[in-house]
Tab-separated table of all heavy atoms in Angstrom:
chain	number	residue	atom	x	y	z
J	1	ILE	N	-27.514	-45.110	-70.714
J	1	ILE	CA	-27.870	-44.584	-72.036
J	1	ILE	C	-29.361	-44.781	-72.305
J	1	ILE	O	-30.042	-43.860	-72.766
J	1	ILE	CB	-27.023	-45.254	-73.145
J	1	ILE	CG1	-25.561	-44.797	-73.037
J	1	ILE	CG2	-27.578	-44.922	-74.533
J	1	ILE	CD1	-24.607	-45.579	-73.918
J	2	ARG	N	-29.870	-45.973	-72.028
J	2	ARG	CA	-31.308	-46.225	-72.228
J	2	ARG	C	-32.158	-45.198	-71.475
J	2	ARG	O	-33.112	-44.646	-72.018
J	2	ARG	CB	-31.676	-47.629	-71.753
J	2	ARG	CG	-31.357	-48.725	-72.701
J	2	ARG	CD	-31.924	-50.072	-72.208
J	2	ARG	NE	-31.246	-51.150	-72.885
J	2	ARG	CZ	-30.181	-51.796	-72.412
J	2	ARG	NH1	-29.684	-51.511	-71.234
J	2	ARG	NH2	-29.612	-52.748	-73.114
J	3	GLU	N	-31.813	-44.977	-70.224
J	3	GLU	CA	-32.573	-44.031	-69.398
J	3	GLU	C	-32.483	-42.617	-69.961
J	3	GLU	O	-33.490	-41.907	-70.025
J	3	GLU	CB	-32.049	-44.067	-67.963
J	3	GLU	CG	-32.355	-45.372	-67.253
J	3	GLU	CD	-31.593	-45.542	-65.941
J	3	GLU	OE1	-30.818	-44.635	-65.555
J	3	GLU	OE2	-31.766	-46.599	-65.292
J	4	GLN	N	-31.299	-42.196	-70.367
J	4	GLN	CA	-31.119	-40.845	-70.883
J	4	GLN	C	-31.814	-40.648	-72.226
J	4	GLN	O	-32.409	-39.597	-72.471
J	4	GLN	CB	-29.630	-40.507	-70.997
J	4	GLN	CG	-28.952	-40.303	-69.658
J	4	GLN	CD	-29.582	-39.185	-68.860
J	4	GLN	OE1	-29.702	-38.062	-69.337
J	4	GLN	NE2	-30.009	-39.486	-67.645
J	5	LEU	N	-31.746	-41.651	-73.103
J	5	LEU	CA	-32.422	-41.531	-74.396
J	5	LEU	C	-33.933	-41.415	-74.217
J	5	LEU	O	-34.584	-40.613	-74.890
J	5	LEU	CB	-32.083	-42.720	-75.304
J	5	LEU	CG	-30.668	-42.737	-75.866
J	5	LEU	CD1	-30.411	-44.039	-76.620
J	5	LEU	CD2	-30.416	-41.532	-76.763
J	6	LEU	N	-34.489	-42.181	-73.305
J	6	LEU	CA	-35.921	-42.090	-73.019
J	6	LEU	C	-36.274	-40.701	-72.494
J	6	LEU	O	-37.236	-40.076	-72.940
J	6	LEU	CB	-36.335	-43.167	-72.016
J	6	LEU	CG	-37.808	-43.182	-71.615
J	6	LEU	CD1	-38.706	-43.409	-72.833
J	6	LEU	CD2	-38.064	-44.256	-70.568
J	7	LEU	N	-35.470	-40.210	-71.562
J	7	LEU	CA	-35.700	-38.875	-71.011
J	7	LEU	C	-35.613	-37.805	-72.096
J	7	LEU	O	-36.483	-36.931	-72.187
J	7	LEU	CB	-34.683	-38.595	-69.897
J	7	LEU	CG	-34.737	-37.213	-69.264
J	7	LEU	CD1	-36.053	-37.004	-68.530
J	7	LEU	CD2	-33.560	-37.030	-68.305
J	8	LYS	N	-34.589	-37.870	-72.933
J	8	LYS	CA	-34.410	-36.863	-73.993
J	8	LYS	C	-35.556	-36.918	-74.999
J	8	LYS	O	-36.024	-35.889	-75.472
J	8	LYS	CB	-33.071	-37.056	-74.710
J	8	LYS	CG	-31.864	-36.891	-73.812
J	8	LYS	CD	-31.777	-35.522	-73.209
J	8	LYS	CE	-30.548	-35.391	-72.332
J	8	LYS	NZ	-30.488	-34.134	-71.615
J	9	LYS	N	-36.013	-38.128	-75.311
J	9	LYS	CA	-37.149	-38.270	-76.232
J	9	LYS	C	-38.401	-37.649	-75.629
J	9	LYS	O	-39.148	-36.936	-76.308
J	9	LYS	CB	-37.382	-39.745	-76.551
J	9	LYS	CG	-38.432	-39.985	-77.597
J	9	LYS	CD	-38.529	-41.460	-77.947
J	9	LYS	CE	-39.532	-41.663	-79.064
J	9	LYS	NZ	-39.579	-43.059	-79.504
J	10	GLN	N	-38.626	-37.886	-74.352
J	10	GLN	CA	-39.787	-37.310	-73.664
J	10	GLN	C	-39.708	-35.788	-73.643
J	10	GLN	O	-40.728	-35.107	-73.661
J	10	GLN	CB	-39.883	-37.852	-72.244
J	10	GLN	CG	-40.281	-39.307	-72.178
J	10	GLN	CD	-40.139	-39.910	-70.783
J	10	GLN	OE1	-39.525	-39.333	-69.893
J	10	GLN	NE2	-40.711	-41.092	-70.604
J	11	GLN	N	-38.494	-35.252	-73.620
J	11	GLN	CA	-38.285	-33.810	-73.613
J	11	GLN	C	-38.326	-33.208	-75.020
J	11	GLN	O	-38.187	-32.008	-75.183
J	11	GLN	CB	-36.948	-33.467	-72.954
J	11	GLN	CG	-36.907	-33.807	-71.483
J	11	GLN	CD	-35.512	-33.665	-70.874
J	11	GLN	OE1	-34.496	-33.579	-71.571
J	11	GLN	NE2	-35.464	-33.650	-69.548
J	12	GLY	N	-38.484	-34.057	-76.048
J	12	GLY	CA	-38.599	-33.574	-77.420
J	12	GLY	C	-37.289	-33.423	-78.159
J	12	GLY	O	-37.258	-32.891	-79.270
J	13	GLN	N	-36.204	-33.890	-77.592
J	13	GLN	CA	-34.905	-33.778	-78.265
J	13	GLN	C	-34.867	-34.755	-79.428
J	13	GLN	O	-35.224	-35.915	-79.281
J	13	GLN	CB	-33.766	-34.053	-77.282
J	13	GLN	CG	-32.403	-33.787	-77.873
J	13	GLN	CD	-31.322	-33.791	-76.806
J	13	GLN	OE1	-31.562	-33.394	-75.677
J	13	GLN	NE2	-30.140	-34.235	-77.189
J	14	LYS	N	-34.407	-34.282	-80.595
J	14	LYS	CA	-34.423	-35.108	-81.791
J	14	LYS	C	-33.082	-35.755	-82.106
J	14	LYS	O	-33.040	-36.777	-82.790
J	14	LYS	CB	-34.872	-34.281	-82.994
J	14	LYS	CG	-36.312	-33.831	-82.885
J	14	LYS	CD	-36.739	-33.068	-84.100
J	14	LYS	CE	-38.191	-32.647	-83.949
J	14	LYS	NZ	-38.688	-31.979	-85.125
J	15	VAL	N	-31.980	-35.179	-81.645
J	15	VAL	CA	-30.656	-35.711	-81.956
J	15	VAL	C	-29.911	-35.990	-80.659
J	15	VAL	O	-29.807	-35.124	-79.797
J	15	VAL	CB	-29.829	-34.723	-82.820
J	15	VAL	CG1	-28.415	-35.258	-83.044
J	15	VAL	CG2	-30.510	-34.460	-84.147
J	16	CYS	N	-29.413	-37.203	-80.545
J	16	CYS	CA	-28.553	-37.596	-79.429
J	16	CYS	C	-27.355	-38.338	-80.007
J	16	CYS	O	-27.509	-39.121	-80.936
J	16	CYS	CB	-29.284	-38.516	-78.454
J	16	CYS	SG	-30.615	-37.723	-77.544
J	17	VAL	N	-26.194	-38.083	-79.459
J	17	VAL	CA	-24.975	-38.755	-79.910
J	17	VAL	C	-24.614	-39.823	-78.892
J	17	VAL	O	-24.505	-39.546	-77.703
J	17	VAL	CB	-23.807	-37.746	-80.061
J	17	VAL	CG1	-22.529	-38.463	-80.444
J	17	VAL	CG2	-24.172	-36.676	-81.088
J	18	VAL	N	-24.439	-41.045	-79.376
J	18	VAL	CA	-24.065	-42.169	-78.529
J	18	VAL	C	-22.782	-42.757	-79.107
J	18	VAL	O	-22.757	-43.168	-80.262
J	18	VAL	CB	-25.180	-43.243	-78.484
J	18	VAL	CG1	-24.761	-44.424	-77.628
J	18	VAL	CG2	-26.482	-42.628	-77.975
J	19	ASP	N	-21.748	-42.790	-78.306
J	19	ASP	CA	-20.442	-43.258	-78.752
J	19	ASP	C	-20.265	-44.728	-78.393
J	19	ASP	O	-20.454	-45.117	-77.243
J	19	ASP	CB	-19.369	-42.410	-78.060
J	19	ASP	CG	-17.981	-42.610	-78.621
J	19	ASP	OD1	-17.849	-43.228	-79.693
J	19	ASP	OD2	-17.032	-42.144	-77.982
J	20	HIS	N	-19.934	-45.547	-79.367
J	20	HIS	CA	-19.569	-46.957	-79.197
J	20	HIS	C	-20.732	-47.933	-79.034
J	20	HIS	O	-20.486	-49.118	-78.822
J	20	HIS	CB	-18.610	-47.160	-78.017
J	20	HIS	CG	-17.302	-46.488	-78.189
J	20	HIS	ND1	-16.414	-46.819	-79.178
J	20	HIS	CD2	-16.723	-45.488	-77.487
J	20	HIS	CE1	-15.349	-46.056	-79.075
J	20	HIS	NE2	-15.510	-45.247	-78.079
J	21	TYR	N	-21.952	-47.498	-79.081
J	21	TYR	CA	-23.080	-48.414	-78.897
J	21	TYR	C	-24.083	-48.253	-80.028
J	21	TYR	O	-25.107	-47.593	-79.885
J	21	TYR	CB	-23.766	-48.167	-77.545
J	21	TYR	CG	-22.910	-48.533	-76.366
J	21	TYR	CD1	-22.217	-47.572	-75.658
J	21	TYR	CD2	-22.802	-49.868	-75.963
J	21	TYR	CE1	-21.420	-47.918	-74.576
J	21	TYR	CE2	-22.012	-50.218	-74.887
J	21	TYR	CZ	-21.326	-49.237	-74.192
J	21	TYR	OH	-20.553	-49.585	-73.120
J	22	GLN	N	-23.802	-48.878	-81.174
J	22	GLN	CA	-24.650	-48.684	-82.339
J	22	GLN	C	-26.055	-49.250	-82.162
J	22	GLN	O	-26.972	-48.846	-82.858
J	22	GLN	CB	-23.986	-49.240	-83.585
J	22	GLN	CG	-23.902	-50.747	-83.661
J	22	GLN	CD	-23.121	-51.176	-84.879
J	22	GLN	OE1	-22.034	-50.692	-85.125
J	22	GLN	NE2	-23.689	-52.078	-85.649
J	23	GLU	N	-26.248	-50.151	-81.204
J	23	GLU	CA	-27.578	-50.729	-80.986
J	23	GLU	C	-28.619	-49.673	-80.616
J	23	GLU	O	-29.814	-49.905	-80.762
J	23	GLU	CB	-27.516	-51.805	-79.905
J	23	GLU	CG	-27.208	-51.239	-78.524
J	23	GLU	CD	-26.617	-52.268	-77.583
J	23	GLU	OE1	-25.467	-52.642	-77.785
J	23	GLU	OE2	-27.325	-52.663	-76.649
J	24	PHE	N	-28.180	-48.507	-80.163
J	24	PHE	CA	-29.101	-47.443	-79.767
J	24	PHE	C	-29.330	-46.422	-80.888
J	24	PHE	O	-30.059	-45.465	-80.693
J	24	PHE	CB	-28.552	-46.684	-78.555
J	24	PHE	CG	-28.406	-47.540	-77.324
J	24	PHE	CD1	-27.152	-47.868	-76.845
J	24	PHE	CD2	-29.511	-48.014	-76.642
J	24	PHE	CE1	-27.007	-48.641	-75.713
J	24	PHE	CE2	-29.378	-48.798	-75.505
J	24	PHE	CZ	-28.120	-49.115	-75.035
J	25	CYS	N	-28.678	-46.608	-82.027
J	25	CYS	CA	-28.596	-45.544	-83.032
J	25	CYS	C	-29.411	-45.827	-84.288
J	25	CYS	O	-29.507	-46.965	-84.736
J	25	CYS	CB	-27.140	-45.339	-83.420
J	25	CYS	SG	-26.105	-44.891	-82.014
J	26	ASP	N	-29.939	-44.759	-84.866
J	26	ASP	CA	-30.631	-44.839	-86.143
J	26	ASP	C	-29.636	-44.753	-87.299
J	26	ASP	O	-29.860	-45.329	-88.360
J	26	ASP	CB	-31.654	-43.709	-86.277
J	26	ASP	CG	-32.765	-43.819	-85.253
J	26	ASP	OD1	-33.231	-44.959	-84.996
J	26	ASP	OD2	-33.149	-42.788	-84.682
J	27	THR	N	-28.560	-44.001	-87.122
J	27	THR	CA	-27.492	-43.911	-88.118
J	27	THR	C	-26.150	-44.025	-87.396
J	27	THR	O	-26.020	-43.635	-86.236
J	27	THR	CB	-27.512	-42.586	-88.916
J	27	THR	OG1	-27.318	-41.495	-88.038
J	27	THR	CG2	-28.806	-42.425	-89.680
J	28	ILE	N	-25.172	-44.558	-88.114
J	28	ILE	CA	-23.840	-44.745	-87.557
J	28	ILE	C	-22.882	-43.800	-88.274
J	28	ILE	O	-22.769	-43.823	-89.504
J	28	ILE	CB	-23.347	-46.207	-87.749
J	28	ILE	CG1	-24.372	-47.200	-87.202
J	28	ILE	CG2	-21.961	-46.385	-87.127
J	28	ILE	CD1	-24.666	-47.062	-85.733
J	29	TRP	N	-22.210	-42.979	-87.481
J	29	TRP	CA	-21.221	-42.051	-88.020
J	29	TRP	C	-19.843	-42.496	-87.586
J	29	TRP	O	-19.661	-42.981	-86.478
J	29	TRP	CB	-21.451	-40.649	-87.489
J	29	TRP	CG	-22.680	-39.964	-88.002
J	29	TRP	CD1	-23.794	-40.537	-88.555
J	29	TRP	CD2	-22.922	-38.561	-87.985
J	29	TRP	NE1	-24.707	-39.576	-88.871
J	29	TRP	CE2	-24.200	-38.354	-88.539
J	29	TRP	CE3	-22.195	-37.474	-87.558
J	29	TRP	CZ2	-24.748	-37.086	-88.678
J	29	TRP	CZ3	-22.744	-36.213	-87.690
J	29	TRP	CH2	-24.009	-36.022	-88.257
J	30	TYR	N	-18.890	-42.315	-88.460
J	30	TYR	CA	-17.489	-42.569	-88.127
J	30	TYR	C	-16.767	-41.228	-88.134
J	30	TYR	O	-16.787	-40.512	-89.134
J	30	TYR	CB	-16.857	-43.537	-89.137
J	30	TYR	CG	-15.360	-43.661	-89.035
J	30	TYR	CD1	-14.740	-43.892	-87.811
J	30	TYR	CD2	-14.561	-43.566	-90.158
J	30	TYR	CE1	-13.363	-44.019	-87.712
J	30	TYR	CE2	-13.185	-43.695	-90.072
J	30	TYR	CZ	-12.591	-43.918	-88.855
J	30	TYR	OH	-11.235	-44.042	-88.762
J	31	ILE	N	-16.166	-40.879	-87.017
J	31	ILE	CA	-15.374	-39.660	-86.924
J	31	ILE	C	-13.920	-40.067	-87.136
J	31	ILE	O	-13.318	-40.687	-86.263
J	31	ILE	CB	-15.555	-38.957	-85.561
J	31	ILE	CG1	-17.038	-38.807	-85.194
J	31	ILE	CG2	-14.823	-37.617	-85.559
J	31	ILE	CD1	-17.871	-38.020	-86.161
J	32	HIS	N	-13.398	-39.775	-88.319
J	32	HIS	CA	-12.034	-40.182	-88.683
J	32	HIS	C	-11.031	-39.099	-88.316
J	32	HIS	O	-11.237	-37.921	-88.582
J	32	HIS	CB	-11.917	-40.452	-90.183
J	32	HIS	CG	-10.494	-40.585	-90.619
J	32	HIS	ND1	-9.786	-41.752	-90.457
J	32	HIS	CD2	-9.631	-39.685	-91.156
J	32	HIS	CE1	-8.550	-41.569	-90.884
J	32	HIS	NE2	-8.431	-40.337	-91.316
J	33	THR	N	-9.941	-39.538	-87.705
J	33	THR	CA	-8.795	-38.676	-87.442
J	33	THR	C	-7.559	-39.481	-87.803
J	33	THR	O	-7.441	-40.647	-87.415
J	33	THR	CB	-8.729	-38.254	-85.961
J	33	THR	OG1	-9.979	-37.661	-85.595
J	33	THR	CG2	-7.619	-37.255	-85.708
J	34	ASP	N	-6.642	-38.873	-88.556
J	34	ASP	CA	-5.413	-39.570	-88.923
J	34	ASP	C	-4.704	-40.057	-87.672
J	34	ASP	O	-4.744	-39.412	-86.624
J	34	ASP	CB	-4.472	-38.645	-89.709
J	34	ASP	CG	-5.007	-38.309	-91.098
J	34	ASP	OD1	-5.909	-39.014	-91.591
J	34	ASP	OD2	-4.503	-37.329	-91.685
J	35	GLU	N	-4.039	-41.201	-87.785
J	35	GLU	CA	-3.443	-41.850	-86.619
J	35	GLU	C	-2.454	-40.960	-85.873
J	35	GLU	O	-2.478	-40.900	-84.650
J	35	GLU	CB	-2.753	-43.158	-87.029
J	35	GLU	CG	-2.235	-43.922	-85.828
J	35	GLU	CD	-1.725	-45.301	-86.176
J	35	GLU	OE1	-2.359	-45.985	-86.997
J	35	GLU	OE2	-0.693	-45.693	-85.609
J	36	GLU	N	-1.596	-40.276	-86.579
J	36	GLU	CA	-0.604	-39.449	-85.889
J	36	GLU	C	-1.270	-38.328	-85.094
J	36	GLU	O	-0.848	-37.993	-83.987
J	36	GLU	CB	0.424	-38.878	-86.871
J	36	GLU	CG	1.561	-38.134	-86.199
J	36	GLU	CD	2.333	-38.969	-85.177
J	36	GLU	OE1	2.528	-40.187	-85.381
J	36	GLU	OE2	2.752	-38.391	-84.147
J	37	ILE	N	-2.330	-37.768	-85.627
J	37	ILE	CA	-3.073	-36.724	-84.907
J	37	ILE	C	-3.737	-37.325	-83.673
J	37	ILE	O	-3.737	-36.720	-82.597
J	37	ILE	CB	-4.101	-36.046	-85.831
J	37	ILE	CG1	-3.373	-35.275	-86.945
J	37	ILE	CG2	-5.023	-35.118	-85.045
J	37	ILE	CD1	-4.272	-34.750	-88.037
J	38	ARG	N	-4.285	-38.522	-83.795
J	38	ARG	CA	-4.887	-39.205	-82.644
J	38	ARG	C	-3.854	-39.423	-81.552
J	38	ARG	O	-4.125	-39.196	-80.363
J	38	ARG	CB	-5.492	-40.546	-83.072
J	38	ARG	CG	-6.703	-40.394	-83.961
J	38	ARG	CD	-7.151	-41.710	-84.560
J	38	ARG	NE	-7.623	-42.619	-83.537
J	38	ARG	CZ	-7.800	-43.914	-83.743
J	38	ARG	NH1	-7.514	-44.459	-84.908
J	38	ARG	NH2	-8.257	-44.688	-82.776
J	39	ILE	N	-2.673	-39.868	-81.955
J	39	ILE	CA	-1.600	-40.097	-80.983
J	39	ILE	C	-1.259	-38.793	-80.274
J	39	ILE	O	-1.181	-38.746	-79.037
J	39	ILE	CB	-0.353	-40.692	-81.674
J	39	ILE	CG1	-0.644	-42.122	-82.153
J	39	ILE	CG2	0.858	-40.653	-80.743
J	39	ILE	CD1	0.408	-42.682	-83.115
J	40	GLN	N	-1.074	-37.725	-81.031
J	40	GLN	CA	-0.730	-36.438	-80.432
J	40	GLN	C	-1.829	-35.941	-79.493
J	40	GLN	O	-1.541	-35.417	-78.417
J	40	GLN	CB	-0.462	-35.392	-81.528
J	40	GLN	CG	0.801	-35.656	-82.322
J	40	GLN	CD	2.034	-35.695	-81.441
J	40	GLN	OE1	2.233	-34.876	-80.555
J	40	GLN	NE2	2.872	-36.701	-81.674
J	41	ARG	N	-3.083	-36.118	-79.860
J	41	ARG	CA	-4.195	-35.677	-79.009
J	41	ARG	C	-4.245	-36.472	-77.710
J	41	ARG	O	-4.501	-35.910	-76.646
J	41	ARG	CB	-5.524	-35.777	-79.760
J	41	ARG	CG	-5.654	-34.716	-80.840
J	41	ARG	CD	-6.944	-34.846	-81.594
J	41	ARG	NE	-7.043	-33.833	-82.635
J	41	ARG	CZ	-7.987	-33.812	-83.573
J	41	ARG	NH1	-8.930	-34.747	-83.582
J	41	ARG	NH2	-7.999	-32.865	-84.476
J	42	LEU	N	-4.018	-37.785	-77.780
J	42	LEU	CA	-3.988	-38.592	-76.560
J	42	LEU	C	-2.851	-38.146	-75.645
J	42	LEU	O	-3.012	-38.056	-74.427
J	42	LEU	CB	-3.843	-40.076	-76.900
J	42	LEU	CG	-5.095	-40.768	-77.435
J	42	LEU	CD1	-4.755	-42.142	-78.008
J	42	LEU	CD2	-6.144	-40.884	-76.343
J	43	MET	N	-1.708	-37.861	-76.233
J	43	MET	CA	-0.555	-37.432	-75.439
J	43	MET	C	-0.823	-36.065	-74.791
J	43	MET	O	-0.555	-35.870	-73.608
J	43	MET	CB	0.697	-37.388	-76.316
J	43	MET	CG	1.173	-38.775	-76.747
J	43	MET	SD	2.460	-38.774	-78.033
J	43	MET	CE	3.751	-37.844	-77.229
J	44	GLU	N	-1.381	-35.139	-75.565
J	44	GLU	CA	-1.624	-33.780	-75.069
J	44	GLU	C	-2.806	-33.711	-74.105
J	44	GLU	O	-2.730	-33.072	-73.065
J	44	GLU	CB	-1.867	-32.827	-76.241
J	44	GLU	CG	-0.634	-32.585	-77.085
J	44	GLU	CD	-0.936	-31.858	-78.388
J	44	GLU	OE1	-2.066	-31.326	-78.540
J	44	GLU	OE2	-0.044	-31.823	-79.252
J	45	ASN	N	-3.913	-34.364	-74.453
J	45	ASN	CA	-5.144	-34.221	-73.675
J	45	ASN	C	-5.227	-35.143	-72.468
J	45	ASN	O	-5.881	-34.816	-71.486
J	45	ASN	CB	-6.372	-34.443	-74.565
J	45	ASN	CG	-6.468	-33.425	-75.679
J	45	ASN	OD1	-5.962	-32.316	-75.566
J	45	ASN	ND2	-7.090	-33.800	-76.771
J	46	ARG	N	-4.584	-36.295	-72.549
J	46	ARG	CA	-4.670	-37.252	-71.450
J	46	ARG	C	-3.332	-37.490	-70.762
J	46	ARG	O	-3.277	-38.229	-69.779
J	46	ARG	CB	-5.241	-38.579	-71.948
J	46	ARG	CG	-6.653	-38.404	-72.475
J	46	ARG	CD	-7.337	-39.709	-72.645
J	46	ARG	NE	-8.650	-39.517	-73.257
J	46	ARG	CZ	-9.380	-40.495	-73.708
J	46	ARG	NH1	-8.952	-41.740	-73.622
J	46	ARG	NH2	-10.549	-40.257	-74.250
J	47	GLY	N	-2.284	-36.919	-71.301
J	47	GLY	CA	-0.980	-37.078	-70.679
J	47	GLY	C	-0.371	-38.456	-70.884
J	47	GLY	O	0.542	-38.847	-70.158
């Protein structure tokens, strides 16, 4: 992640999404999904 963020910054990219590592982030977003929907998505998408 460190390497990619440096590369993206050098390339002029202004927004990068980093999942689970808030130490790299300027703002923290929570993507909420109701539990039953999460369960169904895990079952469907990951088997």
Side-chain angles (χ1 to χ4, degrees):
I1 291 170
R2 280 187 199 94
E3 291 168 1
Q4 289 301 305
L5 288 174
L6 179 60
L7 177 65
K8 298 299 181 186
K9 186 175 184 176
Q10 290 170 347
Q11 294 171 345
Q13 187 168 327
K14 294 182 180 184
V15 176
C16 292
V17 176
V18 179
D19 191 12
H20 297 296
Y21 292 100
Q22 71 185 50
E23 68 203 72
F24 297 111
C25 301
D26 296 319
T27 62
I28 307 299
W29 290 21
Y30 169 49
I31 311 301
H32 168 81
T33 306
D34 291 343
E35 185 172 319
E36 186 57 36
I37 294 171
R38 292 170 66 195
I39 292 167
Q40 291 301 316
R41 288 178 181 171
L42 285 168
M43 291 169 59
E44 291 169 12
N45 298 334
R46 298 194 185 169

